[in-house]
Amino acid sequence: MAEFKTSPGMRDILDPESGRWRRFVARFEQVVESAGYRQVIPPLLEDIGVFQRVGEATDVVTKEMYDFVDKGERHVALRPEQTASVCRAFVQHRPTVPWKAWYAGPNFRYEKPQRGRFRQFDQVGIEVLGATDPFLDVEVIALGWSFLESLGLREVSLQLNSLGEPADRERFVAALAEYFERHSSSLTSESRATLAKNPLRVLDSKRPEDAAIIADAPRIASFHSVEAAAHFSTVRDGLERLGIPFAVNDRLVRGLDYYRHTTFEYVGGTLDSAQNALGGGGRYDGLVADLGGPATAGVGFAIGLDRTLLACDDEAVFAPVAASVQVFVIDTTGGAEALALTHEIRRAGYSADRAFEARSMKSQMKAADRSGAEIALIVGPDELGSGTVVVRPMRGGDQVTVPRSDILPTLQKVLS
Ligand code: AMP
């Protein structure tokens, strides 16, 4: 018989880890909903063109996409990220601006699986479309920061850069191209290939052989226009005012091509340097227009759930919590009483579980222990005969026998 396992880079998430994932998203929801962000749930699959807009020169788009032609001859792809989908949704529905949206869910990239890098991975994120105010950049960065802080993470640092206005970026890219071409014989062949497509992305190289050439490459700050410099300075002042520490890293260009002005990354101090970005984002424009909408500014971030939870493990915070029920019903009379009692208790709003297969009293008590219940309700032949139930506190205290009809008020009294 064939035995199937998950494909490389794909995982089953079981309890209690699945509960931790849920709490992660719930915590994120709490942080961003209370700042006026509302959820958008884009589809997992879109016309491949939506994602191609993100950057023709990025690995995410050129090498890692899960794409196929569907039965209607449409060339579609599983989303590798959600910013492009959110922008596509904006163009399609034209919500009032500024549109503050948040999302959570899986993305797919055909990458080489390793610690902190999977082929299906979850992200939470926010995007704001339709406002250019630098204070919004600060709000966005601060929300991601607060969220990571709320998980208990302490060894996260914030790296910040500005890529300037599109024209600044163009002049910078031209200068970079000229510089790298002059030194191309000292670059790795991978970086030479990147150079031909997008000189900016050579700065992303983490290969040690490229480090010396990259270190002396032109720096974006010397290409900032007056407006870009002012925007960046307002962002830095805003972060300082909020007491959020950051380091300016003028080599931070981020993987995707559509960034302008502010870019940032939350870096996990405990993770290996190749996979230490918990999340990141920045300001972009052009994307909405590329997708057929009006020129619209955008700013946002995505935080990787998987990698952030690895950082939580390393820092021993936001640990998985064993789930429990409040009540466990033990029935040694065949199981029909347990059926009725659990149903009644659940309908009254309590959590309750029971054993099946008419197990022995001892075996049902063990199951009650495992369930983490505060209270066991026991029905044996005597209780069944007299219309009563034994209420036994599982963590010490005396058990009492109460009439079957008094179960709900009794639970209300004894459950904390
Ligand atoms: P990006 O969309 O590439 O800017 O990635 C944002 C965040 O998503 C990263 O910092 C990671 O935490 C996470 N991420 C990206 N790719 C993967 C992957 N293949 N596996 C796990 N997490 C990922």
Side-chain angles (χ1 to χ4, degrees):
M1 276 261 257
E3 189 179 310
F4 293 109
K5 296 225 168 86
T6 47
S7 299
M10 311 260 167
R11 295 149 301 153
D12 298 311
I13 310 297
L14 306 185
D15 173 76
E17 193 62 12
S18 51
R20 184 153 81 141
W21 279 42
R22 243 179 11 252
R23 282 197 294 130
F24 185 96
V25 175
R27 179 68 59 83
F28 186 73
E29 173 183 342
Q30 204 176 23
V31 170
V32 294
E33 282 272 339
S34 66
Y37 292 71
R38 301 292 172 251
Q39 190 177 16
V40 51
I41 309 179
L44 292 184
L45 187 132
E46 303 249 10
D47 188 300
I48 191 167
V50 171
F51 306 119
Q52 282 167 336
R53 297 295 180 279
V54 165
E56 303 287 358
T58 62
D59 287 353
V60 168
V61 170
T62 53
K63 293 200 204 134
E64 297 169 0
M65 211 115 71
Y66 277 87
D67 64 313
F68 61 96
V69 176
D70 75 6
K71 295 187 205 307
E73 304 293 315
R74 292 173 205 92
H75 193 178
V76 292
L78 293 175
R79 65 187 184 203
E81 54 107 54
Q82 292 171 66
T83 304
S85 300
V86 172
C87 289
R88 196 266 314 131
F90 176 82
V91 173
Q92 190 171 337
H93 306 286
R94 301 294 171 93
T96 312
V97 293
W99 188 43
K100 296 171 82 172
W102 70 271
Y103 58 80
N107 305 315
F108 303 83
R109 295 181 193 173
Y110 199 84
E111 297 197 78
K112 188 161 172 267
Q114 52 198 291
R115 183 175 147 91
R117 197 170 282 283
F118 307 98
R119 289 183 176 168
Q120 176 176 335
F121 63 95
D122 271 55
Q123 284 182 337
V124 294
I126 59 179
E127 309 291 346
V128 187
L129 293 172
T132 56
D133 191 332
F135 288 136
L136 179 58
D137 306 26
V138 181
E139 171 174 303
V140 165
I141 297 172
L143 284 171
W145 183 262
S146 302
F147 167 63
L148 293 170
E149 221 175 31
S150 82
L151 298 175
L153 289 169
R154 292 295 171 265
E155 295 189 43
V156 179
S157 59
L158 170 63
Q159 299 211 348
L160 187 70
N161 192 20
S162 167
L163 297 176
E165 305 267 352
D168 309 347
R169 187 175 150 140
E170 250 168 57
R171 285 183 295 122
F172 173 56
V173 171
L176 267 186
E178 193 269 323
Y179 169 85
F180 282 132
E181 260 146 34
R182 223 168 343 113
H183 295 90
S184 71
S185 57
S186 316
L187 288 174
T188 55
S189 58
E190 291 94 327
S191 285
R192 275 202 298 275
T194 310
L195 175 58
K197 285 190 266 175
N198 184 346
L200 198 56
R201 303 219 40 243
V202 177
L203 297 178
D204 276 345
S205 162
K206 300 215 159 129
R207 289 174 286 272
E209 308 89 298
D210 292 323
I213 300 294
I214 289 177
D216 289 335
R219 301 194 168 262
I220 181 68
S222 32
F223 295 84
H224 283 161
S225 61
V226 174
E227 294 76 14
H231 187 107
F232 194 30
S233 138
T234 306
V235 172
R236 292 195 312 265
D237 290 351
L239 288 170
E240 268 161 25
R241 175 134 188 215
L242 302 186
I244 297 177
F246 62 89
V248 173
N249 171 4
D250 63 8
R251 292 301 188 227
L252 182 71
V253 295
R254 308 247 328 126
L256 308 178
D257 287 346
Y258 50 74
Y259 286 105
R260 307 276 183 264
H261 285 295
T262 315
T263 58
F264 57 96
E265 254 175 31
Y266 306 106
V267 177
T270 61
L271 301 177
D272 291 348
S273 65
Q275 261 85 239
N276 65 356
L278 304 182
R283 189 166 264 295
Y284 48 89
D285 44 45
L287 191 52
V288 170
D290 274 354
L291 289 161
T296 306
V299 57
F301 67 71
I303 289 177
L305 180 149
D306 310 82
R307 223 174 275 175
T308 305
L309 287 181
L310 284 177
C312 289
D313 288 341
D314 289 344
E315 290 198 39
V317 297
F318 202 68
V321 180
S324 59
V325 290
Q326 294 171 294
V327 180
F328 197 92
V329 179
I330 294 173
D331 175 2
T332 59
T333 69
E337 276 309 295
L339 180 73
L341 265 172
T342 47
H343 186 67
E344 194 176 317
I345 293 167
R346 288 168 183 163
R347 281 171 55 107
Y350 301 105
S351 57
D353 203 358
R354 54 163 294 183
F356 288 96
E357 318 279 6
R359 301 279 159 124
S360 69
M361 174 73 184
K362 193 169 154 209
S363 151
Q364 294 194 46
M365 271 313 289
K366 261 197 208 149
D369 267 334
R370 271 199 307 273
S371 76
E374 276 178 66
I375 299 289
L377 299 182
I378 305 169
V379 182
D382 291 351
E383 288 77 25
L384 186 62
S386 59
T388 58
V389 175
V390 173
V391 179
R392 177 187 291 189
M394 297 293 287
R395 294 170 208 151
D398 295 329
Q399 68 179 43
V400 290
T401 301
V402 302
R404 171 81 171 69
S405 51
D406 281 356
I407 275 302
L408 292 180
T410 307
L411 285 180
Q412 196 176 13
K413 242 182 288 156
V414 297
L415 282 172
S416 45

